[in-house]
Amino acid sequence: MAKLNLVVGSMLGAAEYVADHVANLLEQAGHQAEIHNPATLDEVLAEPDAILLVVTSTHGAGDVPDNLQPFAKDLAEQHPDLNALKYGVIALGDSSYDTFCQGGKTLDRLLAECGASRIGDRLDIDVTQHEIPEDAAEAWIQGWMPLIA
Ligand SMILES: Cc1cc2nc3c(=O)[nH]c(=O)nc-3n(C[C@H](O)[C@H](O)[C@H](O)COP(=O)(O)O)c2cc1C
């Protein structure tokens, strides 16, 4: 069973609800899930064997939410060696923006640039299509969990 660090980016609460729901599902399946909100890079670097799961919305004009900005900034500036780190990304956004799910895409890119390996595909949840984003996340995590077993 795996240890997962869930790193949350949220302004209005939707991504927080998704992270809580996903953490419960992971724990029900026997995994250990710890929510980091706000997250610090040091906490993640302290557990290189844990899998990182980013759950973030997008704000502004394609920006990472304020509570995740320090984490993203440290990743970009410190560029730590994350070759041993595995991660997944659940992004929430609104497809009416050109910058659809850009917050999640940015975290995905920053982690990959530091050498981390994404497990499976990123989930981009369009909140205009999913009134309850937790439902889309639940369907995705059921397909993702076998990849971390
Ligand atoms: C001011 C504002 C700006 C937004 N900008 C974007 C954006 O650039 N791209 C996108 O995909 N969604 C954007 N969204 C949609 C949010 O990402 C979406 O509503 C999400 O569910 C909010 O999650 P949260 O409650 O965790 O913050 C924006 C929403 C607001 C209110």
Side-chain angles (χ1 to χ4, degrees), residues 6-146:
L6 278 72
V7 160
V8 181
S10 182
M11 301 276 269
L12 308 171
E16 274 182 69
Y17 284 125
V18 168
D20 286 346
H21 188 61
V22 164
N24 285 335
L25 294 169
L26 287 163
E27 284 176 349
Q28 280 167 24
H31 298 293
Q32 195 189 339
E34 184 178 350
I35 291 186
H36 299 263
N37 185 8
T40 68
L41 183 57
D42 286 347
E43 286 168 340
V44 168
L45 295 180
E47 290 188 304
D49 294 334
I51 296 169
L52 179 68
L53 182 55
V54 176
V55 184
T56 186
S57 62
T58 300
H59 278 271
D63 298 335
V64 172
D66 289 353
N67 67 328
L68 196 53
Q69 291 226 357
F71 182 87
K73 184 168 176 281
D74 286 350
L75 261 184
E77 290 181 2
Q78 296 177 24
H79 203 77
D81 177 356
L82 299 182
N83 274 295
L85 186 75
K86 294 187 170 60
Y87 72 97
V89 179
I90 298 176
L92 283 79
D94 177 332
S95 60
S96 63
Y97 288 87
D98 289 345
T99 49
F100 175 56
C101 283
Q102 190 58 50
K105 290 173 185 172
T106 297
L107 265 296
D108 193 1
R109 176 180 55 77
L110 289 171
L111 288 163
E113 284 175 0
C114 292
S117 307
R118 198 183 64 223
I119 302 172
D121 292 331
R122 191 182 62 239
L123 173 64
D124 293 342
I125 303 176
D126 182 357
V127 298
T128 68
Q129 301 298 314
H130 295 278
E131 195 179 335
I132 303 174
E134 289 92 319
D135 290 348
E138 180 165 340
W140 179 88
I141 201 81
Q142 301 299 354
W144 194 73
M145 279 196 282

